[in-house]
Amino acid sequence: MQNARQKEAIDFINKVVDFCVEHENGEVLAGWPEELMQLLIGYHMAKDTFIVEQDEEGHIQGLGMWYNCDEKADWSFIENWEPDNKDANGIFIGFLHANSTELFKKITRKFLEVCPEAMQKKIIMMRQRSRSLKRVESNHKLFNKILAI
């Protein structure tokens, strides 16, 4: 990530890092150094588990990143940098934010285009509750609810 020969890609990744820091409220990536966030974003870009939406000026308006994993996965899956398993029965939503409901729906639609198998898998997320991370599970009904908003 420190090689300046790919300046455009590094600049884009840094823009995504800034968006994540601005919108994660100290709950998702709290304490992560910038270099680790850059690596995380590059990792998701490389494995096609990354969706970003930008406005006409190139400002990021929404972002989604996910992992293919076992339905029992929790935050340790991310902390331990475990490899994705496309054949696993779970999808771990690692980061999802949009600046509007319509954009949230657009990102969800794109996610389902890129990852249609999510409709048959357990959906896993982590939520900050009472100062601790809580594992939340769902299924395809979550996507139906989002798209119906």
Side-chain angles (χ1 to χ4, degrees), residues 2-90:
Q2 311 240 341
N3 188 331
R5 287 182 284 176
Q6 297 179 338
K7 183 169 176 16
E8 188 175 300
I10 293 169
D11 289 346
F12 177 74
I13 289 170
N14 286 335
K15 187 164 60 168
V16 175
V17 167
D18 292 343
F19 180 84
C20 290
V21 169
E22 181 181 346
H23 295 286
E24 63 93 23
N25 300 325
E27 297 174 354
V28 179
L29 302 171
W32 285 43
E34 186 173 313
E35 296 79 22
L36 191 55
M37 285 188 267
Q38 290 169 326
L39 185 60
L40 175 76
I41 291 159
Y43 172 71
H44 280 285
M45 290 172 68
K47 65 187 187 82
D48 292 324
T49 56
F50 176 86
I51 295 172
V52 67
E53 286 293 324
Q54 301 178 73
D55 64 16
E56 300 80 30
E57 290 85 37
H59 300 108
I60 296 176
Q61 301 297 305
L63 172 67
M65 296 185 282
W66 67 94
Y67 300 84
N68 297 288
C69 60
D70 182 78
E71 67 180 33
K72 301 293 184 203
D74 59 16
W75 191 246
S76 65
F77 179 84
I78 294 172
E79 289 180 320
N80 295 333
W81 291 85
E82 294 181 32
D84 273 37
N85 177 359
K86 282 284 235 185
D87 298 324
N89 53 4

